[in-house]
Amino acid sequence: MSSLIFMALYRPKPGKSEELLEVLKVHIPTLREEELITNRELLTLQAEDGTIIEIAEWRSTEAIERAHQSAAVMAVWDKIGSLAQLTSLSTLTEAQERFPNFKPL
């Protein structure tokens, strides 16, 4: 039952950046309330293209599975999905750099 660090990347849809930031304010608290992630400090970053990156720690691989069964978590994830394209690190210009830098949020 080892923990895992995740990086979630959200590229806001046009005109949805502020709304996405508001939804993300409840994302991590929801995961914590459901006891799915640890209390390790969350990192929230932003790439040049506006993509928001959240870095947090799952409690376990089982917690990942439980997240997908949680109505509260799925409601937040559905809202995020309506406001942003979920993307990967490799799509960011910064990922081409040896030591990428991001703006802290």
Side-chain angles (χ1 to χ4, degrees):
M1 228 174 82
S2 63
S3 63
L4 295 169
I5 301 291
F6 70 82
M7 294 178 70
L9 287 81
Y10 317 110
R11 184 169 292 130
K13 292 179 180 177
K16 299 295 183 181
S17 294
E18 293 304 316
E19 196 174 346
L20 176 61
L21 287 172
E22 288 303 309
V23 172
L24 291 179
K25 288 180 182 177
V26 300
H27 181 223
I28 295 302
T30 300
L31 293 173
R32 285 198 173 122
E33 287 170 14
E34 298 281 318
E35 298 183 352
L36 300 170
I37 64 171
T38 68
N39 288 325
R40 184 183 296 265
E41 186 176 350
L42 168 72
L43 279 178
T44 306
L45 311 170
Q46 189 169 42
E48 272 184 39
D49 70 356
T51 298
I52 297 168
I53 306 164
E54 287 184 322
I55 303 173
E57 181 180 30
W58 291 112
R59 286 189 180 270
S60 65
T61 53
E62 292 83 9
I64 298 169
E65 294 172 26
R66 289 197 332 267
H68 288 88
Q69 297 167 3
S70 164
V73 173
M74 293 308 296
V76 174
W77 286 355
D78 287 345
K79 199 167 267 190
I80 290 170
S82 73
L83 300 170
Q85 172 193 3
L86 304 180
T87 190
S88 64
L89 191 59
S90 65
T91 67
L92 302 179
T93 301
E94 291 90 343
Q96 308 313 307
E97 300 297 324
R98 189 172 296 191
F99 299 102
N101 291 284
F102 299 97
K103 175 184 163 186
L105 290 182

